[in-house]
Amino acid sequence: MDLEKKPVVSDVGAWAMNVVSSVGIIMANKQLMSPNGYGFSFATTLTGFHFTVTALVGWVSNATGLSASKYVPFWELFWFSVVANLSITGMNLSLLLNSVGFYQISKLSIIPVVCFMEFLLHSKHYSQRVIVAVAVVALGVGICTVTDVDINAKGLLCACVAVFCTSLQQITIGSFQKKYSIGSFELLSKTAPVQAVSLLLVGPFADYYLNHRSLLEYPFSSGATAFIILSCSLAVFCNMSQYLCIGRFSATSFQVLGHMKTVCVLILGWVLFDSALTVKNILGMLLAVLGMVVYSWAVEHEKQAKSATHISAEIKSEGEDIKLLKEKVNGLPVSDLESAQTKS
């Protein structure tokens, strides 16, 4: 019984770690980056700091024997890092060039793109229940987050790049874990150093283009430094739980259930920062949560159906084997059967 309960607890722990760390890092970054806070508007460089600390934690874990270092070809790590960094930069540029409403729509579009890419790359099919649940979640999150929608050519291009690269990155995380039989943390410790170096090299230039401010001119106060350290610490848990959840479930599940973070952020924004929470927001959040519950039930229903089909197929196969064996035994002459019994 204990062995059956462990995976369930571990799954809940993985999702809880991702939700808590993601919401925590959003709250910390809001204080760090907002003009009313510390005004650290260097998002791409901050992400480079995140992966630097994550890479350091991975190196310490490998050096102390807490985790094992497994081989992954460098060219695989390199192209994955390029895709992941394009995802980060594309999202930042999309937020800069587009309205907040269109930015939210582009984030919601990641779900159907992930579904389509999983079908295209891995021939994965989805039941009608899952498709309806995904649509309900997207509609609910859209109702409570999307306001004004303003589109321009550059912003649309950046949004398309960001959505494609984010979808491909999340699918690749699961593919790498299966392809190289590598754990989530071991894979993260391989990809984090490459991402850290590339983001620290490109980040300051990207941020200067985004907000016309140089990182060298920023006054690092003790409060800002403390929030940067807090943000980096939470990022380690956020990155670990992302790789863990995608490897254990799927990129689609990570996207759908991940919108619980959006609901938590809206509620905490209302509690901590006096953000407006309208009836429209509340109805959207309730609809999104309902969609997540239906999605979880639909996925579990699919698993049970597949398990039942597999068991029935095994029973049928065993029955056919027994039938063939009986027919073979019945077809043997009596002398052969007596000879076999004498030898035994």
Side-chain angles (χ1 to χ4, degrees), residues 48-160:
F49 293 162
H50 290 169
F51 281 105
T52 301
V53 175
T54 303
L56 182 61
V57 170
W59 178 81
V60 171
S61 179
N62 289 335
T64 54
L66 294 175
S67 60
S69 179
K70 292 189 177 181
Y71 174 75
V72 179
F74 178 76
W75 71 271
E76 294 262 47
L77 297 175
F78 178 76
W79 81 257
F80 173 83
S81 299
V82 170
V83 170
N85 292 347
L86 281 174
S87 165
I88 295 165
T89 308
M91 280 296 180
N92 291 338
L93 286 171
S94 176
L95 183 58
L96 174 72
L97 298 172
N98 298 311
S99 63
V100 176
F102 184 73
Y103 173 75
Q104 290 293 345
I105 289 174
S106 66
K107 287 183 69 176
L108 287 173
S109 67
I110 293 174
I111 299 177
V113 172
V114 166
C115 292
F116 177 73
M117 291 181 71
E118 284 193 323
F119 167 74
L120 205 62
L121 298 174
H122 304 301
S123 301
K124 186 172 183 178
H125 295 272
Y126 298 91
S127 68
Q128 190 175 358
R129 294 186 184 92
V130 171
I131 294 171
V132 171
V134 168
V136 171
V137 172
L139 179 62
V141 176
I143 289 172
C144 63
T145 58
V146 176
T147 51
D148 60 313
V149 178
D150 184 25
I151 307 173
N152 60 78
K154 289 183 180 178
L156 179 62
L157 177 62
C158 291
C160 290

Side-chain angles (χ1 to χ4, degrees), residues 250-266:
S250 69
T252 305
S253 295
F254 181 75
Q255 277 295 323
V256 173
L257 299 180
H259 279 296
M260 178 58 73
K261 294 175 281 189
T262 306
V263 175
C264 293
V265 168
L266 287 171

Side-chain angles (χ1 to χ4, degrees), residues 8 24 45 50 94 175 193 207 227:
V8 177
T45 305
H50 290 169
S94 176
S175 299
D207 289 328
F227 268 91

